[in-house]
Amino acid sequence: MVVLSLQPVQFSTPKHMLLCRPGSTGYPIRCGIAEPSGEPAPMGQKTKYNDGFFEKGFMTLFARKMKKFAAPVKARTGTKEKAWWEYDYESFVDVSKRVMQGRSRVQQQQVVREVLLSMLPPGAPDQFRKLFPPTKWAAEFNAALTVPFFHWLVGPSEVVEVEINGVKQRSGVHIKKCRYLENSGCVGMCVNMCKFPTQDFFTNEFGLPLTMIPNFEDMSCEMVYGQVPPPFEEDPVSKQPCFTDICSIATPSSSVCPKLQA
């Protein structure tokens, strides 16, 4: 998506976005983590990030696109519309939560699809299909693009080797600790607002299969380009319970997150 919509633009890497140490696969990990270790915080703790202009630009773009689908903010004294430079990751997550309100699982996914399409130039999906047919090379190329361009959304990641239909290829992306899941603390948001809309967009709009496999034990995630995702009913995430300790809208009495049942 970045290649198609921002082809004429070249970005220089801000000082705080310098490459972190290489990952185990040899691919460098770009990140804006402010933790002393340079690694995501342990499970149960929220990772600190040092976001710059580049990252906040994407947060603002997504938040403002999603805002028109979001439930209104509860009235507060002195509350006013945010200026574009005032958006941060918390603002983006807050808008996402308000998009969920009053919508079914499928409706939430449709909103994300509309937002993604709105950010692309006319004819972009068809152009993507021509540039990146579902081949090993296309899967590996898109995995490599994911690491530098989506660190702002999911945190640090690295390209890893995966096996698809008996063929080993470097089209996997290991997200160490997903920033979106960590900040929202919501299983439903992970599944309905990220995993399934992204899988569907790449698989059906772009014609390049993608499967995302979140790990709710440590909040890591595997993205596998070139692998056809299973239907919702056959995906293990469809049976995932809430994070009862950290989700503000969790239902402890339910064996499955209610947002996955509607």
Side-chain angles (χ1 to χ4, degrees), residues 140-211:
E140 292 183 332
F141 183 75
N142 277 273
L145 276 183
T146 297
V147 174
F149 281 107
F150 291 95
H151 64 274
W152 71 269
L153 177 61
V154 299
S157 61
E158 60 184 337
V159 174
V160 295
E161 185 178 75
V162 294
E163 185 173 321
I164 300 175
N165 298 324
V167 178
K168 292 184 178 181
Q169 56 192 56
R170 297 183 64 78
S171 65
V173 175
H174 174 69
I175 299 169
K176 290 192 170 185
K177 188 182 184 187
C178 180
R179 188 178 186 182
Y180 191 65
L181 179 56
E182 181 182 34
N183 277 262
S184 68
C186 181
V187 169
M189 284 182 65
C190 166
V191 176
N192 299 339
M193 302 287 290
C194 181
K195 172 180 161 61
F196 274 93
T198 305
Q199 287 181 168
D200 179 74
F201 201 80
F202 272 89
T203 303
N204 297 316
E205 298 292 338
F206 283 168
L208 179 64
L210 169 65
T211 297

Side-chain angles (χ1 to χ4, degrees), residues 51-65:
D51 296 313
F53 179 82
F54 180 81
E55 295 86 0
K56 288 185 177 180
F58 274 110
M59 294 170 194
T60 299
L61 177 62
F62 272 75
R64 291 180 71 88
K65 288 283 187 179

Side-chain angles (χ1 to χ4, degrees), residues 58-162:
F58 274 110
M59 294 170 194
T60 299
L61 177 62
F62 272 75
R64 291 180 71 88
K65 288 283 187 179
M66 295 176 67
K67 184 181 175 182
K68 66 178 182 179
F69 298 100
V73 180
K74 293 182 179 179
R76 298 183 186 128
T77 304
T79 299
K80 63 178 182 179
E81 178 69 21
K82 284 183 178 290
W84 68 270
W85 62 84
E86 294 179 316
Y87 280 88
D88 54 18
Y89 202 83
E90 285 67 32
S91 303
F92 165 66
V93 171
D94 177 67
V95 172
S96 298
K97 288 181 178 180
R98 290 190 285 119
V99 167
M100 293 181 70
Q101 295 178 25
R103 286 189 171 88
S104 67
R105 173 176 57 83
V106 174
Q107 289 172 333
Q108 293 169 44
Q109 295 172 22
Q110 290 173 338
V111 167
V112 178
R113 176 181 176 275
E114 290 299 317
V115 170
L116 292 175
L117 284 174
S118 72
M119 287 193 250
L120 298 177
D126 290 337
Q127 187 64 22
F128 186 98
R129 287 172 177 266
K130 293 177 182 178
L131 291 172
F132 304 110
T135 63
K136 175 183 176 182
W137 175 86
E140 292 183 332
F141 183 75
N142 277 273
L145 276 183
T146 297
V147 174
F149 281 107
F150 291 95
H151 64 274
W152 71 269
L153 177 61
V154 299
S157 61
E158 60 184 337
V159 174
V160 295
E161 185 178 75
V162 294

Side-chain angles (χ1 to χ4, degrees), residues 33 35-37 39-49 176-185 217-220 243 245-246:
I33 284 184
E35 297 289 339
S37 65
E39 298 290 331
M43 186 67 173
Q45 300 178 32
K46 187 174 291 187
T47 306
K48 297 177 182 178
Y49 283 85
K176 290 192 170 185
K177 188 182 184 187
C178 180
R179 188 178 186 182
Y180 191 65
L181 179 56
E182 181 182 34
N183 277 262
S184 68
E217 295 296 323
D218 61 7
M219 294 188 173
S220 65
F243 282 126
D245 294 334
I246 60 177

